[in-house]
Amino acid sequence: MKKFRFAFLASAAVLCASTAAHAEDLVFTLKNGTNSVLNNFYASPTGVDSWEDDIFGRQALGPGEEMEITVADGRSVCRYDMRFEFQGEDLDTTTDTQDLCEMGSYTIHE
């Protein structure tokens, strides 16, 4: 019985820890308001000197499309620097800084 109780408590602790980690995830909708394909999207907390990994991975966001973005970096910050890289030479790489906690969505424009 003691082993069962210990296993139950350990399971409950893991469940609580994983729930807390999900609470830190930052979720918003990214909309491509340009006429170009958005190939890469990077977001790093303001003040970090390097870009995190490409959030899109192998995906891209076409003109007029939108995608739900989850920044699951475990941080409890809201201000992020963002970097947008487009396909071809129609648009240059663009950067911006926003408080993503206050925004339910973000639209990149030309």
Side-chain angles (χ1 to χ4, degrees):
M1 186 67 154
K2 287 183 181 181
K3 289 181 183 179
F4 175 74
R5 214 178 283 159
F6 176 75
F8 177 75
L9 291 174
S11 298
V14 168
L15 180 62
C16 289
S18 67
T19 302
H22 289 294
E24 300 297 328
D25 292 354
L26 179 62
V27 180
F28 66 98
T29 301
L30 177 62
K31 299 177 182 179
N32 184 355
T34 72
N35 292 319
S36 298
V37 174
L38 181 56
N39 278 344
N40 307 93
F41 172 59
Y42 304 90
S44 296
T46 302
V48 173
D49 292 335
S50 61
W51 293 107
E52 306 285 323
D53 292 335
D54 178 16
I55 293 172
F56 282 173
R58 295 177 187 239
Q59 297 178 333
L61 193 60
E65 293 180 344
E66 61 183 50
M67 178 187 302
E68 184 174 274
I69 301 293
T70 301
V71 180
D73 60 8
R75 295 179 173 113
S76 58
V77 298
C78 292
R79 290 194 57 80
Y80 278 82
D81 296 329
M82 298 177 289
R83 178 182 171 104
F84 305 91
E85 295 178 354
F86 295 91
Q87 182 177 10
E89 297 179 14
D90 293 340
L91 285 177
D92 292 332
T93 297
T94 304
T95 59
D96 193 9
T97 301
Q98 293 291 330
D99 183 335
L100 295 176
C101 294
E102 292 184 7
M103 307 175 81
S105 67
Y106 179 89
T107 303
I108 179 75
H109 295 284
E110 292 186 43

